[in-house]
Amino acid sequence: MRKMLDRLALFFRENWRQMLVIAIAVALPSSLALSGSDRKYGYLITDTIFVMGAFFFLASQIGKWGKILMHMFFAFTLFDFGLSFGSYLANCQFVTIDTFYLILGTNKEEASEFFEFYFPLWKVLLWAGAMLLVCILYICKRPKLQPSMKVSRVSSIVFLAVAVLCFPSLKREMREWCARIVPLKYVVIARMYEPFGKVAEHRHDLPLTETTSEHPDHIVIIIGESFSKSHSSIYGYKRPTNPELSELASKGQMLVFSDVTAPAPFTHIAFKSIFSFGDGNDSDWYDHDTFFDVFCQKYSTRWISNQKSHGIHENAQATYAALCDTVWFACQHTDVVKTNQDSELLPTIRTLADNDSTPSITIINLMGQHEAFKWRYPAAWKFFNPEDYPDYKEHQRVYMSQYDNATRYNDHVVASIFDIYKDKEALVFYFPDHGLDLYETDPDYCGHVREPVQASWDVCCKIPFFIYIPERYRAAHPEQVEKLEHSVDHPFNTGDMIYTLMQITGWNAKGNEPNGRGLLLE
């Protein structure tokens, strides 16, 4: 026992400062991310103390290997600090499995825009300075700061006693606890990560049941990007961001739904929810029956996209696109990538629509209002200027004007797609994957959800939802149109689109019936 206590005291005396640096590096980014949220710091503090206590006891008892173990722990911690602090500076996020889906699903163009939008020079310097400071504090030795052996013995015993008291509750899920701890959380992330390619490996032969003899020939689903309901003039925003769609709504040609939410404020989760029967957060999301397992049996499916066809590894959009009969990505055609703006899709959409001789479901994936906003519209579409926003702070005005310009251009593109189908018997949906937090929950924050803040989550999940109904479709399916008109104020989540499409097309997947989850109210 005495020998053990002596080892504890000696290790504490020589390494207490390095252990303190590690503890701060582990806890600081999460503490910053939690600031302003409704969550409590209790678990963060007790988990950090317990882990550092367990590490301290182990390292102190293995002799010279204790130093090596501590240096390895610091290397893991430094990596985690850099990633976590960068994630906090970007959009106040924790590092989770979603972080790695985003990283692995991005490409160099998106990464370039991400850093341009979220990392101005002062953030880069702050991040680099913080990394350097952590390294200096860990490496720099100050012999004068070493306590005596007597003080070290008492301090080490007290520290271990406090660590024991911080032992995590057995009621807590082990995965939740491990997700807070370096390097255990990366083990958890690695075990949870499932490549998007697994979707293609788990195709299902679903038996379909016919619910009506009425089967519409053509369905079009336009999925936008990062369109916040709060910036749509159709929903009361005071700037004219939706002039063309507003006109269609005023003529009764387009239904405007008032209470629609996205499944999550992240693209990959939203897509997993929209295009499968599962929740995008399910650990076995890839094994659920998909949108395409149902509709590829009765319809020719097409995917037309202005998003990228791949990332570093895989992304949700390309994965689900690969399940379609026809796949067309603008980035793969050298004649349409000069501007990388959504109007480039219009000729291809028109060609497919004009040659639509078989029942079809067409999915159109736009870039919409993806950051950085200034690249989402041509220079000629600069309608709003920073000086048009005198009621906003100076640093907010540029982004606000750029976002509203992107929204107005998106309005034009969506209206142009609607126009392509105006003389056809087709039902056309439009909604974005999610919205953004545009200085709505914090005067200094603009971008994707600040995840720990529930108000930010709510803002980013409130989205526009429109259905364009040409006269030919209205005449052919009057009862269905009437049901849609009666549901415009019904709460709806776009994760239930698959059920809505089953209601509209008249085909149910056995075992996955809507049961009240679609737009058409019973």
Side-chain angles (χ1 to χ4, degrees):
M1 176 65 75
R2 183 176 180 81
K3 189 175 182 180
M4 182 187 73
L5 292 176
D6 287 343
R7 286 177 175 175
L8 288 171
L10 181 62
F11 193 85
F12 185 91
R13 182 172 186 267
E14 294 179 349
N15 302 291
W16 71 270
R17 186 173 47 79
Q18 285 91 339
M19 288 194 300
L20 181 61
V21 171
I22 292 174
I24 292 173
V26 166
L28 182 60
S30 295
S31 298
L32 293 171
L34 281 170
S35 62
S37 74
D38 299 328
R39 304 184 191 180
K40 297 180 180 179
Y41 289 85
Y43 282 157
L44 175 62
I45 296 170
T46 56
D47 288 349
T48 302
I49 293 173
F50 175 75
V51 170
M52 293 306 301
F55 165 76
F56 167 58
F57 180 81
L58 175 63
S60 67
Q61 301 304 307
I62 59 176
K64 64 179 181 179
W65 293 100
K67 275 277 190 183
I68 297 174
L69 181 62
M70 187 174 69
H71 295 330
M72 291 175 62
F73 192 16
F74 175 72
F76 273 112
T77 301
L78 186 64
F79 168 79
D80 178 66
F81 177 81
L83 189 59
S84 298
F85 190 54
S87 185
Y88 164 74
L89 288 175
N91 50 10
C92 305
Q93 299 280 6
F94 295 106
V95 172
T96 64
I97 181 67
D98 293 324
T99 308
F100 283 84
Y101 273 119
L102 291 171
I103 292 173
L104 294 174
T106 195
N107 52 73
K108 64 180 182 180
E109 289 85 1
E110 290 177 340
S112 175
E113 289 186 6
F114 176 87
F115 280 101
E116 177 186 354
F117 185 83
Y118 285 106
F119 282 94
L121 180 60
W122 72 268
K123 284 189 178 181
V124 174
L125 294 176
L126 180 59
W127 180 87
M131 291 287 288
L132 182 61
L133 180 61
V134 170
C135 291
I136 290 173
L137 290 175
Y138 182 81
I139 295 170
C140 184
K141 293 184 178 181
R142 298 290 298 273
K144 291 182 179 181
L145 295 178
Q146 285 188 347
S148 66
M149 284 298 291
K150 183 177 180 179
V151 171
S152 296
R153 186 174 287 107
V154 173
S155 299
S156 61
I157 293 172
V158 171
F159 177 44
L160 285 178
V162 173
V164 170
L165 292 174
C166 292
F167 184 82
S169 170
L170 296 178
K171 295 180 180 180
R172 291 172 62 192
E173 185 181 346
M174 184 57 68
R175 178 179 291 179
E176 176 195 353
W177 181 78
C178 290
R180 299 174 181 269
I181 307 305
V182 179
L184 291 181
K185 75 177 180 181
Y186 292 102
V187 175
V188 172
I189 287 172
R191 288 179 63 85
M192 290 175 63
Y193 181 81
E194 293 290 352
F196 278 108
K198 275 208 168 185
V199 173
E201 298 172 12
H202 291 71
R203 296 304 299 272
H204 303 86
D205 184 17
L206 300 181
L208 301 184
T209 58
E210 189 175 25
T211 59
T212 174
S213 59
E214 191 173 299
H215 306 295
D217 281 342
H218 304 296
I219 305 293
V220 181
I221 303 171
I222 308 169
I223 303 181
E225 173 73 54
S226 303
F227 186 1
S228 289
K229 182 179 178 180
S230 59
H231 279 250
S232 169
S233 55
I234 291 177
Y235 291 97
Y237 184 56
K238 63 182 179 181
R239 292 176 176 81
T241 53
N242 293 128
E244 295 183 48
L245 294 182
S246 293
E247 183 176 357
L248 291 176
S250 67
K251 292 178 179 179
Q253 298 172 350
M254 184 185 82
L255 300 182
V256 177
F257 289 75
S258 64
D259 191 9
V260 178
T261 54
F266 304 106
T267 299
H268 70 281
I269 297 179
F271 271 68
K272 286 188 286 186
S273 299
I274 293 167
F275 291 110
S276 83
F277 287 102
D279 184 329
N281 290 298
D282 290 344
S283 58
D284 60 344
W285 57 268
Y286 53 86
D287 197 30
H288 287 284
D289 301 333
T290 71
F291 180 99
F292 307 96
D293 292 327
V294 178
F295 297 109
C296 281
Q297 297 186 54
K298 300 296 180 181
Y299 289 87
S300 173
T301 55
R302 296 90 173 264
W303 192 289
I304 304 171
S305 178
N306 199 28
Q307 300 269 350
K308 297 301 179 183
S309 59
H310 63 279
I312 297 173
H313 191 213
E314 299 166 302
N315 63 44
Q317 299 94 313
T319 295
Y320 287 111
L323 304 182
C324 290
D325 301 313
T326 301
V327 182
W328 191 92
F329 278 92
C331 63
Q332 296 176 344
H333 297 263
T334 56
D335 57 329
V336 294
V337 295
K338 295 178 181 178
T339 66
N340 197 30
Q341 287 156 1
D342 287 331
S343 59
E344 297 285 2
L345 302 182
L346 297 177
T348 299
I349 296 170
R350 185 176 297 279
T351 298
L352 284 174
D354 289 345
N355 293 280
D356 235 347
S357 58
T358 60
S360 65
I361 294 180
T362 303
I363 298 162
I364 302 169
N365 192 194
L366 305 178
M367 281 294 284
Q369 292 94 302
H370 194 284
E371 314 99 318
F373 311 137
K374 66 181 180 181
W375 302 118
R376 302 285 81 88
Y377 56 93
W381 279 81
K382 185 179 180 181
F383 184 85
F384 302 103
N385 295 289
E387 54 268 26
D388 297 329
Y389 298 78
D391 46 339
Y392 287 88
K393 295 182 179 180
E394 186 173 352
H395 71 278
Q396 300 172 337
R397 296 172 187 170
V398 171
Y399 281 158
M400 293 294 283
S401 62
Q402 290 175 352
Y403 184 83
D404 285 350
N405 282 328
T407 301
R408 191 177 173 94
Y409 181 65
N410 178 75
D411 177 82
H412 169 68
V413 171
V414 174
S416 298
I417 297 173
F418 288 170
D419 188 66
I420 290 173
Y421 291 94
K422 68 179 180 180
D423 297 323
K424 303 183 183 299
E425 189 183 320
L427 190 65
V428 190
F429 294 81
Y430 170 79
F431 58 91
D433 53 357
H434 56 76
L436 294 177
D437 185 346
L438 299 154
Y439 303 112
E440 293 183 63
T441 64
D442 188 307
D444 296 315
Y445 183 73
C446 176
H448 273 70
V449 62
R450 298 162 60 220
E451 188 176 3
V453 182
Q454 184 61 46
S456 182
W457 186 282
D458 294 340
V459 163
C460 292
C461 285
K462 292 179 180 178
I463 56 173
F465 189 96
F466 312 133
I467 300 180
Y468 176 68
I469 309 177
E471 284 303 318
R472 285 184 62 184
Y473 192 95
R474 188 180 292 274
H477 308 281
E479 292 183 9
Q480 188 185 98
V481 171
E482 184 178 359
K483 288 183 179 180
L484 286 171
E485 290 173 338
H486 288 163
S487 67
V488 293
D489 294 319
H490 180 64
F492 180 69
N493 185 284
T494 54
D496 290 338
M497 271 300 295
I498 192 169
Y499 299 103
T500 297
L501 265 291
M502 287 196 297
Q503 291 177 327
I504 286 171
T505 61
W507 296 105
N508 274 359
K510 191 174 181 180
N512 291 299
E513 290 78 9
N515 294 325
R517 294 187 63 179
L519 264 180
L520 274 65
L521 304 181
E522 300 297 335

